[in-house]
Amino acid sequence: MMNRPKLLDLFCGAGGAAMGYHRAGFDVVGVDINPMPRYLLEFHQGDALQYALEHGAEFDAIHASPPCQGYSVTKSIHGRTDHPLLIDATRELLQSIGRPYIIENVEGAPLINPLMLCGTMFGLRVRRHRLFEIDPPIYFAPFSCNHWGKTLGNSARIKQRRVVQSFALADFITVSGHDFNARDARIAMGIDWMSAKELAQAIPPAYTEYIGAFLLRYLK
Ligand SMILES: C[S@@+](CC[C@H](N)C(=O)[O-])C[C@H]1O[C@@H](n2cnc3c(N)ncnc32)[C@H](O)[C@@H]1O
């Protein structure tokens, strides 16, 4: 049997992206600056770009999810303007390593020709748009977005009323900030091992399982 190719998962969090690549057929190694006791695969604590510089060439492909707070449309709401902007440095390093790569981030981030994926494309009950810069590129999403039902969203009106998003109130939920029911969010995201805080930062494994399947064919 062929060995499973190795994928380096930079800025790995508690491993939403990692689980998708694992299911697609990769051996995944994660790196995060913070301890991640719930990351289910091999994990190293440390600076992601430093680790990639030292070990990136040992892997068949590299995924990176640099922090998104500095790029999100809500970046100025909490009055902070000092969020690190790591996408350019990440791209430069990954291109110099020369392996197939994926950089994931939020809408508004400066990614090149990104593919947009949403939970509704995978039959999930979460509205969550994420962008993926992929080299070699994938041009097609599995399906179009399907926002036919009711979503509470993160509108100011909802926040003022302090409504917690749950399936009791809507067909779809959004999982960010604090205003969501963690149990429903785990179902919506297809992630059953994370805390609420980790869920708010994660991507559903279905997204990277889709990307991983393409990548695997390319590597073969
Ligand atoms: C958006 S989260 C990643 C979520 C993950 N892709 C998932 O699907 O679960 C970004 C992560 O980057 C980590 N981080 C921030 N700066 C870092 C650095 N310099 N090196 C490594 N990790 C870093 C944060 O601790 C956080 O866990």
Side-chain angles (χ1 to χ4, degrees):
M1 200 176 97
M2 185 191 143
N3 284 340
R4 288 163 68 95
K6 287 183 73 177
L7 182 135
L8 179 58
D9 177 24
L10 301 172
F11 308 95
C12 67
M19 184 52 69
Y21 290 119
H22 169 77
R23 284 188 200 148
F26 286 87
D27 274 350
V28 181
V29 174
V31 181
D32 202 283
I33 199 90
N34 291 310
M36 289 293 158
R38 279 177 287 279
Y39 192 83
L40 296 171
L41 306 165
E42 182 178 333
F43 173 76
H44 298 271
Q45 186 177 356
D47 180 71
L49 298 187
Q50 186 60 36
Y51 190 94
L53 191 64
E54 291 168 13
H55 299 282
E58 298 161 23
F59 292 82
D60 299 293
I62 305 179
H63 170 105
S65 289
C68 57
Q69 291 87 345
Y71 302 107
S72 86
V73 285
T74 57
K75 59 180 176 281
S76 52
I77 286 179
H78 304 295
R80 273 191 63 182
T81 52
D82 58 343
H83 294 294
L85 301 173
L86 294 175
I87 288 179
D88 289 347
T90 300
R91 179 186 299 113
E92 203 174 305
L93 178 58
L94 297 186
Q95 287 180 341
S96 76
I97 295 168
R99 299 285 183 270
Y101 74 80
I102 300 101
I103 305 176
E104 175 267 322
N105 223 272
V106 291
E107 287 182 308
L111 296 179
I112 298 172
N113 294 329
L115 175 73
M116 191 278 279
L117 296 178
C118 173
T120 63
M121 295 172 178
F122 300 93
L124 298 172
R125 290 173 69 184
V126 64
R127 275 184 57 171
R128 194 168 188 77
H129 288 186
R130 289 295 179 269
L131 304 183
F132 296 84
E133 175 180 329
I134 307 170
D135 185 8
I138 298 173
Y139 299 105
F140 302 105
F143 207 73
S144 58
C145 268
N146 176 4
H147 293 179
W148 55 266
K150 184 174 169 193
T151 307
L152 287 176
N154 283 324
S155 71
R157 192 170 59 83
I158 293 296
K159 283 197 181 305
Q160 273 164 16
R161 285 168 50 204
R162 297 197 177 281
V163 173
V164 171
Q165 295 193 61
S166 79
F167 295 146
L169 298 169
D171 303 299
F172 296 94
I173 59 175
T174 61
V175 180
S176 63
H178 308 285
D179 65 336
F180 60 87
N181 174 300
R183 196 188 51 189
D184 287 2
R186 288 187 190 102
I187 294 168
M189 301 267 283
I191 290 176
D192 63 6
W193 65 93
M194 290 192 196
S195 68
K197 194 174 165 200
E198 291 162 348
L199 281 169
Q201 296 214 11
I203 55 174
Y207 296 13
T208 43
E209 189 171 354
Y210 178 75
I211 294 170
F214 275 88
L215 206 54
L216 212 57
R217 258 177 269 154
Y218 172 82
L219 290 171
K220 279 178 183 164

